[in-house]
Amino acid sequence: MENLRLWIDYIWGNVSTFLFDADTPGHKLLLMLVAIALFVVVMGAILLAVDKPKRIPNWVVTLGFAGPAVIALAFGLLYPALRTVYASFLNRNGTAVVGLDNYVRAFTEPAFQVVLRNTALWVLLVPTLATLTGLIYAVLVDRTRFEKAAKVLIFLPMAISLVGASIIWRFVYEVRGGSQQQTGLLNQLIVMFGGEPYQFLINSPWNTLFLLVVLIWIQAGFAMTILSAAIKAIPDDIVEAATLDGLSGIKMFRYITVPSIRPALVVVLTTIAMTTLKVFDIVRTMTGGQFNTSVVANEFYQQSFVRGDFGMGAALAVILFVIVIPIIVYNVRQLRLSEEIR
Amino acid sequence: MTTTPTPPQAFETSEPGEVTGGAPPGRQDKRGRFQRLDDRAAAVRKRAANPWASIIALVIALLWTIPTFGLFVTSFRPAGEIRRNGWWEFFRDPQVTLENYGSVLFEGDAPLAEYIINSLVVTLPAVLIPISIALLAAYAFAWIDFKGRNILFVAIFALQIVPIQVTMIPLLTQYNQWGIAGTFWPVWLSHSIFALPLAIFLLHNFMKDIPPSLVEAARVDGAGHVKIFFQVLLPLLIPAVAAFGIFQFLWVWNDLLVSLVFGSQSQVAPLTVRLASLAGDRGENWHLLSSGAFVAMVVPMIVFLALQRYFVRGLLAGSVKG
């Protein structure tokens, strides 16, 4: 008996080192393959178990198919979300109930008010400007010879990580003092036209605008793709009738194109708004939230994982969630409206 | 549907199993192809006649490419040159070196080459696992009749709006209790869970587009759900799987938040985490930052450009239908 215990300890020791302590490239890659294989075996076993069409009751089959997803979501999304709502009423390490204190702080302390103001700026400006750019560009290149290549150019930033994009733009905003030559493109242009070098990322409140340019740069491609498809779906006869009535150029855009793609516009605006709310990579990489540039998503990370104030972090996460709700409601209502018209 | 669903394609998109996105696939009209091409030619001529339109389009295109191009040029300039003057000087005095890439990839105490492995090890399971689980669940919601199906589906759809930030502190506590914090497991697990609502929703939409007669016919032949899933539906769903696969690949590869919270230890941290800290403490070392940024970008760029048409299809299905 004693021997068996020793053996089990020995084997488990090796297995857990393999599973939880990968540090060489070979080990990591092998672990990855093992994890995938393990997953395949488990799922295969579940499917094999329910693959008896006649003898197995329907609910067991359903459980086999939908069970893993439902369990994962309950464990990883639903339950933690409820825990977080609860934690937002507790103090920094969850040892005492503080009621609404965290929320009161989030809305009254000046530092947090700046964060809320910035978040509002992001959510208002990024969706509108990204959609506008995407729409204008989609209309301009629609059915031109170079349409495909032109679209790829705008589209490509979507493949770049927000960290990568932030680095790209930090280089554009780069500023150098004194008599040194400017290495940032924008400051070079300013100096060329006789201006003084400008600290794009430091001078508040304008620096927030320069930060959100990065997200506009990324999201315009998304807007363009969806809107371009919507524009191509406008029935020919409508366009032809409008042309016969003498509409063209900006009037065509204003009276035919925009009203026809209204549902797609709403979807694009709301989707980008929701993405914008959750983005924290840009602020973190460009300024680290300094110089009055922080947003709720970044402040959540700061409070939770840097300052260790879990109550405040939870409250900020809940605020983030609550801001999303009106956007969704608007989205759903607009979709319903457009379906009624049809 | 590709990035540019040009009208003539409307005649070719009806191959079996080709599941189109939410927007109508081009216009179906009865006029001949040649008539259409004439129309297009006329439109092109008209468009070319308006110089303002071309100028605005050109300006936008330049604004969207020059920042990336500038950093790209910088990544090949010698470190001293980068400090001395701007990247545009390169064209006056071209000096090319691969040293930046060499040193960011292999030198120093945290060379990026190691983080490439980490990114790869994090990404592959985090793409494969949620797709498989979501495919099965989507099948259940589309083709198995059970009580409470609609309510459950709507609930999962609604979970899409939960910001992942809301889940992080409790999840981290849980992983700590299990003693798996700091390994690859919580990263894989979290990415997989966070992907499920969108994946189930998207794949369900694609599955619903498959003609019920196909499934019925298999059922009459005595096939069970597992057989129907693998032999009838899965082959038809390859484009949909590809569409979501690219989505998830780009999302995981480019993610910073999840990795930072659940796997920031250097043993498991992916490229983005290392790059972010490089940008944090070496903000002035542009020869490392520029080459590092492109090391992190090259894989998603290749995947993205190669599989663009699937990506666009996924985008259209995900947002217009939703």
Side-chain angles (χ1 to χ4, degrees):
Chain A
M1 258 342 258
E2 209 36 44
N3 271 343
L4 189 65
R5 254 199 83 96
L6 288 176
W7 273 102
I8 291 175
D9 282 349
Y10 172 73
I11 292 171
W12 173 242
N14 279 336
V15 169
S16 73
T17 308
F18 175 74
L19 289 180
F20 304 124
D21 202 14
D23 51 5
T24 63
H27 188 170
K28 287 173 185 172
L29 290 170
L30 190 64
L31 174 63
M32 175 185 84
L33 293 178
V34 167
I36 293 173
L38 206 67
F39 171 74
V40 170
V41 167
V42 170
M43 294 309 279
I46 293 175
L47 287 182
L48 216 61
V50 299
D51 187 27
K52 303 271 174 4
K54 291 277 140 37
R55 267 167 288 155
I56 302 259
N58 199 28
W59 67 268
V60 177
V61 182
T62 310
L63 203 65
F65 275 90
V70 172
I71 292 169
L73 287 172
F75 160 78
L77 274 177
L78 199 57
Y79 174 67
L82 296 176
R83 280 284 299 267
T84 297
V85 172
Y86 178 64
S88 71
F89 301 112
L90 305 179
N91 67 353
R92 57 182 300 130
N93 43 24
T95 49
V97 178
V98 295
L100 289 172
D101 271 12
N102 290 322
Y103 293 97
V104 172
R105 271 181 63 202
F107 285 101
T108 52
E109 274 183 22
F112 285 116
Q113 279 177 342
V114 171
V115 171
L116 290 176
R117 181 205 70 190
N118 289 342
T119 309
L121 274 177
W122 279 76
V123 174
L124 290 177
L125 289 179
V126 173
T128 13
L129 294 177
T131 309
L132 198 66
T133 317
L135 176 62
I136 291 174
Y137 196 74
V139 171
L140 290 183
V141 302
D142 190 42
R143 301 196 210 181
T144 53
R145 262 160 303 166
F146 43 84
E147 177 172 352
K148 200 166 185 169
K151 279 179 164 177
V152 170
L153 291 182
I154 306 296
F155 203 42
L156 212 52
M158 288 182 74
I160 299 174
S161 65
L162 292 172
V163 178
S166 305
I167 292 177
I168 289 176
W169 279 91
R170 244 176 68 173
F171 194 54
V172 173
Y173 294 144
E174 182 81 341
V175 62
R176 303 186 111 205
S179 54
Q180 283 176 299
Q181 277 198 55
Q182 294 299 325
T183 53
L185 182 60
L186 278 180
N187 272 315
Q188 171 70 16
L189 289 176
I190 290 177
V191 171
M192 235 167 69
F193 288 105
E196 284 291 306
Y198 185 78
Q199 299 197 309
F200 287 97
L201 297 178
I202 293 175
N203 294 350
S204 174
W206 299 105
N207 49 5
T208 292
L209 294 186
F210 296 115
L211 289 190
L212 56 83
V213 162
V214 183
L215 195 57
I216 295 172
W217 186 70
I218 288 179
Q219 293 290 333
F222 167 73
M224 180 204 67
T225 311
I226 306 283
L227 297 177
S228 171
I231 289 171
K232 286 183 192 302
I234 300 174
D236 272 351
D237 23 341
I238 293 184
V239 180
E240 268 161 33
T243 314
L244 287 179
D245 285 347
L247 280 191
S248 68
I250 291 176
K251 277 194 172 155
M252 177 77 100
F253 178 74
R254 168 76 184 75
Y255 294 107
I256 303 297
T257 314
V258 172
S260 310
I261 60 169
R262 215 183 111 82
L265 274 174
V266 171
V267 168
V268 169
L269 278 170
T270 48
T271 311
I272 299 181
M274 285 187 277
T275 315
T276 306
L277 269 178
K278 299 179 210 166
V279 163
F280 97 120
D281 320 29
I282 296 177
V283 171
R284 199 185 133 85
T285 314
M286 304 254 309
T287 62
Q290 289 170 289
F291 320 120
N292 289 333
T293 55
S294 194
V295 292
V296 172
N298 182 64
E299 208 53 34
F300 157 80
Y301 184 85
Q302 285 292 326
Q303 294 293 335
S304 308
F305 302 112
V306 181
R307 304 241 177 108
D309 188 342
F310 290 119
M312 193 66 212
L316 287 166
V318 172
I319 290 174
L320 206 58
F321 186 32
V322 172
I323 310 177
V324 175
I325 293 174
I327 302 176
I328 306 265
V329 171
Y330 177 73
N331 189 356
V332 171
R333 273 191 54 186
Q334 289 297 316
L335 280 182
R336 286 250 175 83
L337 274 180
S338 66
E339 263 159 29
E340 271 167 24
I341 292 167
R342 256 184 251 149
Chain B
M1 226 177 291
T2 60
T3 352
T4 54
T6 47
Q9 272 184 333
F11 298 89
E12 292 150 17
T13 43
S14 52
E15 50 187 287
E18 181 89 340
V19 193
T20 47
R27 280 147 293 172
Q28 312 269 335
D29 65 355
K30 300 284 182 283
R31 287 183 296 159
R33 179 183 286 212
F34 294 107
Q35 171 77 48
R36 263 190 162 296
L37 286 178
D38 274 353
D39 286 356
R40 270 169 55 84
V44 167
R45 271 197 298 277
K46 212 193 286 169
R47 191 74 68 190
N50 188 345
W52 281 109
S54 311
I55 289 172
I56 297 173
L58 192 68
V59 167
I60 297 179
L62 282 177
L63 280 176
W64 255 249
T65 36
I66 284 183
T68 319
F69 180 71
L71 198 72
F72 185 68
V73 171
T74 302
S75 71
F76 290 104
R77 299 179 77 209
E81 288 292 300
I82 297 175
R83 267 191 294 276
R84 191 167 311 131
N85 48 35
W87 56 270
W88 45 89
E89 299 289 339
F90 171 83
F91 300 101
R92 212 171 289 164
D93 172 27
Q95 295 183 40
V96 179
T97 174
L98 286 175
E99 231 169 75
N100 302 337
Y101 284 92
S103 56
V104 81
L105 273 173
F106 305 112
E107 285 165 23
D109 48 350
L112 275 194
E114 282 176 20
Y115 293 86
I116 298 179
I117 303 277
N118 289 350
S119 273
L120 204 69
V121 172
V122 163
T123 307
L124 284 184
V127 172
L128 291 175
I129 293 173
I131 290 185
S132 318
I133 295 182
L135 269 173
L136 293 176
Y139 176 84
F141 288 117
W143 297 109
I144 302 179
D145 262 321
F146 60 92
K147 229 178 149 189
R149 179 172 81 165
N150 288 335
I151 293 175
L152 202 55
F153 184 67
V154 170
I156 287 181
F157 172 67
L159 280 180
Q160 274 188 77
I161 64 168
V162 175
I164 57 176
Q165 279 90 347
V166 167
T167 67
M168 292 188 143
I169 302 170
L171 272 184
L172 192 65
T173 316
Q174 186 67 66
Y175 294 141
N176 274 324
Q177 272 171 21
W178 286 345
I180 58 171
T183 70
F184 284 109
W185 298 92
V187 189
W188 288 332
L189 212 57
S190 313
H191 271 307
S192 300
I193 294 169
F194 296 154
L196 281 178
L198 179 67
I200 296 175
F201 174 67
L202 263 183
L203 294 172
H204 172 267
N205 280 352
F206 280 113
M207 271 201 204
K208 267 291 178 195
D209 283 346
I210 288 171
S213 55
L214 276 177
V215 179
E216 287 306 321
R219 229 174 251 166
V220 171
D221 288 345
H225 284 300
V226 178
K227 203 167 177 192
I228 294 177
F229 173 76
F230 278 106
Q231 295 189 345
V232 180
L233 289 175
L234 207 52
L236 299 180
L237 281 171
I238 298 297
V241 170
F244 182 75
I246 301 162
F247 246 24
Q248 178 69 0
F249 179 87
L250 290 177
W251 166 254
V252 176
W253 188 279
N254 289 337
D255 157 80
L256 177 67
L257 181 60
V258 174
S259 307
L260 213 51
V261 173
F262 297 121
S264 55
Q265 296 80 352
S266 67
Q267 241 180 31
V268 295
L271 281 169
T272 44
V273 170
R274 177 66 197 136
L275 209 55
S277 70
L278 204 63
D281 40 66
R282 300 203 185 173
E284 300 310 307
N285 277 356
W286 282 107
H287 65 291
L288 295 181
L289 269 181
S290 58
S291 50
F294 277 95
V295 167
M297 260 178 240
V298 64
V299 175
M301 284 270 197
I302 291 171
V303 170
F304 186 78
L305 287 177
L307 301 171
Q308 226 192 100
R309 58 188 246 113
Y310 295 106
F311 182 79
V312 172
R313 185 179 303 168
L315 272 189
L316 293 175
S319 48
V320 178
K321 271 192 178 169

